[in-house]
Amino acid sequence: MEYTLNCNGQLLDLSTPQVMGIVNVTPDSFYAASRVQSEREVSERVTQILAEGGTMIDVGACSTRPGSTPATEAEEEERLRWALAIVRREVPQAVVSVDTFRPDIARMAVEEFGVDIINDVGPNYHYQLSIIHSQLKNMFRMVSRLRVPYIYMSARSTMKDILLDCAEAVDTLRSMGQKDIVLDPGIGFGKTLEENYAVLRDLEHMKMMGLPVLVGLSRKSMIYRLLGSSPSEAGNGTTVLNTVALMKGASILRVHDVREAVECIRLVAPCSPQAINFK
């Protein structure tokens, strides 16, 4: 897809799919190996993401694993302030996103640390429709005011409903002046095992929105439940499904294992209808 994101003046070209590396500064993320709890671990992780070819660093301070109790806003803010200070010191030119569903956390991250992208999984936390609309409109207003790219995730369970949900969100965001929007079908959120695979199977339908699509299925339960394994054993399955996502039009892969995802993109590219020359 010919699309660029304006990240604080840097234009991130998505005509070639990009990799977003995950940094979890939480004590309870579902994949234990992804948790970073010390200054040295954060420093090593963000350096690793860039060294392995990632172009975005996604920092999360509130676990989104199914069944988890979200951290309080104060806890999330404290964790993010600590982590973002390290990230900005160690890799000051990196494109950084923050994974949050709270508007005031988004404001703090952008205004105080120059965060480039807000990655919102808010619909997963607000089950009553009236609450969803209220919370999302607050976030929509915030990101539109902050003028940063915004990743909208749908927790709907079928592709038809995801498309309707995304269309409504995009219309509202555009009416508020939001420019850069990325859509996330929310694999692993609000869906059964079968529904997750159905959404991935139908992913190419999201192209009709004319916006880049982020897919985050790294080591998720749809892989290890089907295979009867665990998150630590789901690396190979992640690569297989990332390949499927790329061939169905994903522009961004959000992953724990950056090198593998980068290699996946390089290998899939010559197989696409718009195949590039080998280098």
Side-chain angles (χ1 to χ4, degrees):
M1 169 172 284
E2 298 293 328
Y3 200 96
T4 58
L5 297 179
N6 186 343
C7 301
N8 283 320
Q10 297 184 65
L11 291 181
L12 185 62
D13 183 7
L14 299 182
S15 58
T16 297
Q18 302 295 312
V19 174
M20 172 184 282
I22 298 168
V23 178
N24 284 322
V25 290
T26 58
D28 56 346
S29 295
F30 78 93
Y31 178 40
S34 72
R35 304 169 192 164
V36 289
Q37 297 294 294
S38 70
E39 182 173 337
R40 178 183 60 81
E41 288 175 332
V42 174
S43 176
E44 289 178 351
R45 175 59 178 159
V46 297
T47 302
Q48 176 193 31
I49 289 171
L50 299 184
E52 293 185 355
T55 52
M56 289 169 274
I57 295 169
D58 190 50
V59 183
C62 178
S63 177
T64 58
R65 65 182 173 83
S68 66
T69 300
T72 67
E73 187 160 346
E75 289 172 331
E76 184 182 9
E77 181 175 349
E78 181 180 7
R79 293 170 185 171
L80 277 176
R81 285 182 184 278
W82 170 77
L84 290 173
I86 300 168
V87 173
R88 282 310 190 198
R89 184 191 70 210
E90 295 297 318
V91 287
Q93 301 307 313
V95 174
V96 178
S97 72
V98 159
D99 182 347
T100 187
F101 59 93
R102 292 175 167 126
D104 286 339
I105 295 291
R107 178 191 54 75
M108 178 276 293
V110 173
E111 292 183 349
E112 297 184 25
F113 294 94
V115 162
D116 304 276
I117 301 169
I118 296 300
N119 181 15
D120 182 10
V121 296
N124 184 53
Y125 288 112
H126 309 296
Y127 297 100
Q128 297 178 24
L129 198 58
S130 60
I131 297 177
I132 291 175
H133 283 174
S134 174
Q135 290 286 342
L136 281 178
K137 284 186 177 178
N138 288 340
M139 181 62 92
F140 289 177
R141 293 187 189 98
M142 182 62 73
V143 294
S144 299
R145 180 173 71 80
L146 294 170
R147 299 187 180 278
V148 293
Y150 175 64
I151 301 170
Y152 175 77
M153 189 205 78
S154 178
R156 303 297 173 86
S157 59
T158 68
M159 181 53 68
K160 178 182 177 181
D161 288 341
I162 289 168
L163 291 172
L164 291 171
D165 181 38
C166 287
E168 181 181 357
V170 170
D171 283 347
T172 303
L173 285 161
R174 293 294 194 214
S175 73
M176 295 177 177
Q178 178 64 20
K179 302 297 183 184
D180 288 331
I181 303 169
V182 177
L183 301 177
D184 177 353
I187 289 175
F189 293 93
K191 302 168 182 65
T192 65
L193 181 67
E194 293 78 11
E195 287 167 344
N196 279 316
Y197 279 98
V199 168
L200 182 59
R201 181 194 65 214
D202 296 336
L203 189 67
E204 67 269 21
H205 294 302
M206 294 194 73
K207 293 178 183 178
M208 70 177 64
M209 298 297 300
L211 292 169
V213 173
L214 177 149
V215 174
L217 45 76
S218 182
R219 296 182 179 270
K220 286 187 175 177
S221 64
M222 67 180 290
I223 300 169
Y224 62 81
R225 281 177 57 199
L226 187 65
L227 299 178
S229 58
S230 66
S232 64
E233 300 170 292
N236 183 55
T238 296
T239 296
V240 171
L241 296 190
N242 277 339
T243 301
V244 174
L246 290 169
M247 299 193 78
K248 289 179 172 288
S251 296
I252 301 171
L253 299 177
R254 181 180 180 273
V255 300
H256 300 95
D257 308 289
V258 172
R259 184 184 301 278
E260 291 83 348
V262 170
E263 290 178 351
C264 191
I265 289 168
R266 292 187 63 191
L267 291 168
V268 168
C271 303
S272 69
Q274 302 81 26
I276 62 173
N277 294 326
F278 290 102
K279 295 183 178 179

